[in-house]
Structure formats: structure tokens, C-alpha cells
Amino acid sequence: MLLSILLLPLLSAAAEAGPYDGRYRPEQDSGDTWDCKSIGVDGGAILITSGTFFAVDTRCALRDPVKVEGMEATLYDAICRADAEPWQRRIMIMKTDTGIAVLQKGAHISFLRRCE
């Protein structure tokens, strides 16, 4: 009984795993120096897990996913928080050959390579 209570949160997290879950670093050559073990710090990896996007000093809940037809991509409402007040924006995450692309308003695109 106690074991099942302890394992329940782990099973719930696994059930909610998303198609983009993983650790990432920038696709550019400068990304080679990033530490894929550290999360949310300068030079550390970007983590997507169970509907949450962790970047440098930022955490975003990825809500209301809408699959983009004909592409391996999903549009999200990202509700983010850093040091200041929370903010919201629409982002699209799309699979690439080496990881993902994150597209934001203003044609800002970040290409991220999966950490190995």
C-alpha cells in the first residue's frame, strides 16, 4: 500500500509525458559548451517535462496544446514566470532532425539540439 502511494506521482508524471520532453541546448556551435546536467542557469540545459518549459531563470507552463496539422508541431499558451510578474505568450514547438524549434511572436525562432 505504502509503495503504491509513493509510486503514484511517478506514474502520473510518466503518463503526462509530452512529445517534446527532454533536455536541450542551442543548435549553434556555442551550444557545445552548455552543461546538459544543469537546468535553468546560464550555460545549463533547457528542460521540457510534463508540460513545463524550464529556461534560464524562467519557468513556463505549456497549456491548451493544439496540434498543427501536417507538421510535427504543437501550439501552446505559455504562462511564464521569472523574477517579475507572470506573462503569457503563444509559442509553437516543432520537432527537427536534431531536436526542436521554438517559435515565438515576432518570428523569433530558437533551434535547440537534444542533449545526448
Side-chain angles (χ1 to χ4, degrees), residues 49-65:
T49 184
S50 300
T52 305
F53 186 105
F54 296 91
V56 177
D57 294 329
T58 304
R59 176 182 178 158
C60 300
L62 302 175
R63 306 286 172 128
D64 302 322

Side-chain angles (χ1 to χ4, degrees), residues 78-92:
I79 301 163
C80 304
R81 180 177 283 284
D83 294 332
E85 291 294 313
W87 71 94
Q88 183 172 342
R89 66 178 58 154
R90 298 279 283 172
I91 65 170
M92 185 171 76

Side-chain angles (χ1 to χ4, degrees), residues 10-24 47-53 62 65 67 72-74 76 93 95 99-100 114:
L10 296 175
L11 295 174
S12 297
E16 296 176 23
Y20 312 105
D21 283 8
R23 293 173 187 240
Y24 299 92
L47 173 68
I48 299 176
T49 184
S50 300
T52 305
F53 186 105
L62 302 175
K67 290 193 181 264
E72 288 189 78
T74 308
Y76 294 96
I93 301 176
K95 286 190 178 186
I100 59 173
R114 185 174 288 280

Side-chain angles (χ1 to χ4, degrees), residues 23 25 36 98 113-116:
R23 293 173 187 240
R25 57 189 169 135
C36 282
T98 58
R113 182 177 355 151
R114 185 174 288 280
C115 288
E116 300 165 2

